Amino acid sequence: MEVGIRGWGAYIPRFRLSALEVAALWGYDGRLPKALGMVEKSVAEEDEDAATMGWYAARVAMRRAGVSGDDIDAVFFGTESKPYAVKPSATIVADALGVKRRKLATDLEFACRAAGEGMRISVGLVKSGLARNTLVIGSDTAQANPGDLLDFTASSGAVAFVVGPASGSAAVIEASVSYVTDTPDFWRRDRSPYPEHAEIFTGEPAYFHHIVSAAKLLMEETGLRVEDFDYAVFHQPNGRFPLQVARMLGIPQEKVLPGLVTPHVGNTYNASALLGLAKLLEEARPRSRVLLVTFGSGAGSDAFSIVVQDSAPELAKMGPRVADMMNSRVRVSYSEYSKFRGLLLKNVGG
Amino acid sequence: MRLSPQQFWRIRENQYRLFITVCGSCGRKAILKRPVCPYCGSDRVHHVESSGLGVLESFTKVYYRRNSSEDDLPKFIGVVRLTEGVRVVGEIVGVGADELREGMEVEAVLRRYASDDPYGVIYYGIKFKPV
């Protein structure tokens, strides 16, 4: 059975923090935001978290797919900013969406790549007949050590897909492959409030190596060539890396820019590349072929070949579009960002 | 203050989703999934889930901080008339004071309500934001 994306949804909080303000506050050169390809990043409100944002995206995805909670056989929640260290978010979101009790439901963790892996697991479940439809959610309120380089990019957002039979779907997933190694480029130890990273090491042996390897593996296994793809979406830790990795693969910039959201949204971690895919489903011509490659530190990538179907433009009208959410924005100060994201230490209880 | 995980668990369906009770005897509708009609007492009721869409009829600004609340003060509490014709009181989020107006179209969203700080249960529920 061919597998497809039957519906999709996204959520981007309306607040934005300027990269120039981050640079000024922490004493960075004012040219650094441009070097990172960053203008601003999205900031979740105080009562939002990965579960609430994921719920919104999933609700829109189910509406576009035309499915109810009874039609969903599995819920995969990809995040690295779980509201609970122990207690699944997938169960909260599934119950709040009215997904039936006879289901698989779990949180997946692989830095920014868990939701991508959820997509691959879903392809297997649907193809094998073990599930009719699955719900894959990527949602993060990404944290950064204040003043760290990640402070320019770590942001909040969510995306969700209903994966099911290809017939009548918005996009067919015609092939997928994963590439995983043990690479310590980014991590967070137990009880550590913020993640750490290995500076420049996050680039060459981690991001670039895994994305290039997964993309090449996909093309080897399918016989597809770079020119066969109309668009390419890569994980977007900043505004520069996706363009650099595209050059390494010989993909022109104009095929990457339509799916590049990070300069104005930030790195939404598990929603990052998938948010770019959601945008393309709303904008690409039917029959366009999209190369999607996720990346998660630690490290691994999933590469997908996805063909947009005729129904996508009509389905796009059934929910808020990524481009509209990108444009609906209110600037906040670093003080407000600190309050919203709980960076201030206070006495609590009472 | 510690809320009750057990109590919340029992009522979570009405916290997570917007249900409407429709009375088979008097025909009236009421917010929440209820075993009997609040107007005529009949148990001939059935339940439907709201689309979550509605219009903000009235609102007020609140500074009162209850224990275990998130610290998002001041907050806006409004009366929303759902498209199904039922009124519900709820918090209005995702909008500034200068943007709020009566007649504004809103939609239901899942948000945090409160938590047993700092390590207790997080309570989620429905609020409303502009469409």
Side-chain angles (χ1 to χ4, degrees):
Chain A
M1 177 194 290
E2 275 199 309
V3 180
I5 295 170
R6 302 189 64 81
W8 73 94
Y11 180 75
I12 302 170
R14 68 188 184 121
F15 289 138
R16 300 284 186 279
L17 176 64
S18 161
L20 283 173
E21 181 172 344
V22 176
L25 179 68
W26 296 109
Y28 285 101
D29 188 316
R31 292 169 294 187
L32 183 59
K34 192 174 180 189
L36 292 170
M38 290 301 301
V39 178
E40 55 193 6
K41 68 174 188 176
S42 58
V43 178
E45 294 187 50
E46 215 161 1
D47 61 351
E48 294 184 295
D49 60 26
T52 67
M53 296 191 303
W55 172 90
Y56 189 95
R59 189 170 153 92
V60 175
M62 288 172 64
R63 188 193 313 152
R64 281 194 172 119
V67 299
S68 74
D70 288 337
D71 302 315
I72 301 291
D73 293 324
V75 179
F76 297 115
F77 195 93
T79 184
E80 65 166 68
S81 46
K82 299 169 60 172
Y84 292 96
V86 177
K87 187 195 175 310
S89 299
T91 56
I92 298 167
V93 173
D95 263 23
L97 290 167
V99 176
K100 67 186 178 190
R101 294 184 175 189
R102 187 183 187 282
K103 62 178 178 282
L104 283 172
T106 193
D107 292 6
L108 301 174
E109 196 279 316
F110 196 124
C112 300
R113 166 187 170 250
E117 191 147 35
M119 295 271 282
R120 286 219 72 209
I121 295 169
S122 294
V123 169
L125 285 173
V126 173
K127 193 169 269 193
S128 67
L130 285 173
R132 285 174 302 159
N133 298 288
T134 73
L135 180 60
V136 180
I137 301 166
S139 181
D140 268 303
T141 51
Q143 306 101 350
N145 194 15
D148 186 89
L149 270 177
L150 289 178
D151 218 5
F152 288 95
T153 55
S155 69
S156 300
V159 67
F161 299 93
V162 173
V163 177
S167 174
S169 67
V172 173
I173 303 173
E174 59 176 5
S176 62
V177 65
S178 297
Y179 183 91
V180 175
T181 73
D182 176 23
T183 307
D185 59 315
F186 175 99
W187 63 90
R188 181 166 164 183
R189 293 282 302 273
D190 189 24
R191 299 186 189 183
S192 166
Y194 304 108
E196 300 282 334
H197 55 86
E199 302 288 348
I200 197 85
F201 191 69
T202 59
E204 190 51 48
Y207 179 88
F208 295 111
H209 173 72
H210 289 80
I211 287 185
V212 168
S213 299
K216 285 184 173 173
L217 205 53
L218 180 83
M219 287 187 251
E220 280 170 25
E221 291 192 359
T222 59
L224 291 167
R225 298 161 302 166
V226 163
E227 348 23 305
D228 294 323
F229 293 97
D230 301 291
Y231 298 98
V233 186
F234 304 108
H235 176 56
Q236 302 169 19
N238 55 52
R240 292 290 177 213
F241 273 21
L243 299 176
Q244 284 177 248
V245 82
R247 273 199 300 276
M248 294 167 78
L249 286 164
I251 298 172
Q253 189 171 290
E254 57 267 27
K255 291 188 178 184
V256 181
L257 290 175
L260 187 63
V261 299
T262 283
H264 294 278
V265 173
N267 181 4
T268 51
Y269 284 34
N270 272 279
S272 174
L274 299 179
L275 204 50
L277 173 64
K279 185 169 182 282
L280 286 180
L281 292 176
E282 294 160 11
E283 298 174 4
R285 290 185 319 278
R287 302 295 150 193
S288 297
R289 179 178 278 119
V290 179
L291 170 65
L292 165 72
V293 192
T294 65
F295 172 74
S297 290
S301 284
D302 308 290
F304 299 83
S305 177
I306 295 170
V307 181
V308 179
Q309 300 297 294
D310 294 336
S311 60
E314 279 305 309
L315 293 177
K317 296 174 186 170
M318 295 173 65
R321 292 169 183 263
V322 173
D324 292 337
M325 285 186 274
M326 288 174 70
N327 292 331
S328 174
R329 41 191 275 288
V330 174
R331 275 279 173 88
V332 293
S333 65
Y334 200 93
S335 302
E336 291 168 301
Y337 163 69
S338 301
K339 182 189 175 202
F340 294 152
R341 292 292 83 226
L343 303 182
L344 306 171
L345 188 62
K346 306 172 298 179
N347 284 350
V348 293
Chain B
M1 176 183 162
R2 233 181 133 69
L3 302 179
S4 166
Q6 297 86 346
Q7 187 181 30
F8 180 82
W9 177 77
R10 291 189 191 101
I11 64 168
R12 73 191 189 289
E13 195 174 29
N14 270 328
Q15 292 290 113
Y16 284 169
R17 301 165 69 187
L18 272 178
F19 283 104
I20 294 168
T21 296
V22 183
C23 181
S25 296
C26 71
R28 297 184 73 176
K29 297 176 184 173
I31 194 66
L32 302 178
K33 186 181 267 192
R34 303 167 189 258
V36 296
C37 174
Y39 300 108
C40 71
S42 170
D43 61 0
R44 287 184 54 233
V45 295
H46 72 276
H47 306 109
V48 295
E49 186 165 6
S50 166
S51 65
L53 298 173
V55 173
L56 180 63
E57 288 195 334
S58 177
F59 62 89
T60 187
K61 197 175 189 177
V62 174
Y63 291 90
Y64 173 69
R65 184 192 303 273
R66 67 188 168 118
N67 288 337
S68 291
S69 68
E70 300 293 326
D71 296 326
D72 49 354
L73 294 178
K75 59 178 69 177
F76 301 101
I77 305 296
V79 176
V80 173
R81 180 183 284 277
L82 298 172
T83 52
E84 293 84 1
V86 176
R87 284 196 181 101
V88 57
V89 174
E91 187 177 338
I92 314 299
V93 295
V95 62
D98 53 340
E99 303 164 286
L100 261 179
R101 56 176 175 75
E102 292 173 358
M104 175 180 265
E105 291 184 4
V106 294
E107 63 177 332
V109 291
L110 186 76
R111 294 287 179 103
R112 287 181 182 218
Y113 258 93
S115 65
D116 291 335
D117 290 327
Y119 299 125
V121 168
I122 302 166
Y123 302 100
Y124 293 92
I126 295 295
K127 299 181 183 180
F128 293 90
K129 79 170 188 64
V131 174

